[in-house]
Amino acid sequence: VLPKAMRLMLQEANVPTTADPALAILHVKGKVKLISKTDGTEKIRIDWIFNRANGEELGTITQENNIPSGSLNYKWGDSAYDVAYAMVDTVSRALEVAKNSD
């Protein structure tokens, strides 16, 4: 659901998107990792990797949050949209960099 949420949040912010990777100027990939577990909480890290269409990496942004244990085990629900919303400005700026440095 995270890719779907990202696409929707970008579209709502009027950031252009495409379903065809061959037409994209910027590719954004999210890698989700469980960092640690403690009493009732988990630390989750999402590394967002930004690549040009030719594969050249522009950079990586990391989000980390403590969440209730098990809350992302089955369905992300609204959490995916919260995570995506927090990245809209960053993705928009990365898109501008990719456009302007070609």
Side-chain angles (χ1 to χ4, degrees):
V1 76
L2 192 53
K4 178 182 174 183
M6 180 62 80
R7 217 172 356 266
L8 181 63
M9 293 294 100
L10 292 171
Q11 289 168 349
E12 286 185 3
N14 295 316
V15 176
T17 64
T18 181
D20 184 352
L23 299 176
I25 295 169
L26 179 71
H27 294 205
V28 181
K29 180 179 178 182
K31 290 184 177 181
V32 181
K33 184 175 182 181
L34 172 63
I35 300 298
S36 63
K37 281 181 142 183
T38 58
D39 234 5
T41 63
E42 297 173 341
K43 186 173 208 165
I44 301 295
R45 183 175 78 206
I46 304 172
D47 293 318
W48 294 97
I49 300 112
F50 298 86
N51 292 308
R52 294 181 189 280
N54 67 6
E56 176 190 353
E57 188 173 313
L58 288 174
T60 301
I61 300 287
T62 299
Q63 287 176 303
E64 287 188 359
N65 287 296
N66 292 317
I67 60 169
S69 288
S71 61
L72 299 181
N73 285 359
Y74 302 104
K75 293 187 178 183
W76 280 47
D78 290 342
S79 296
Y81 294 90
D82 294 339
V83 167
Y85 180 76
M87 288 299 296
V88 167
D89 286 341
T90 301
V91 173
S92 181
R93 282 184 265 142
L95 181 58
E96 288 304 313
V97 168
K99 280 184 196 176
N100 294 328
S101 61
D102 275 345

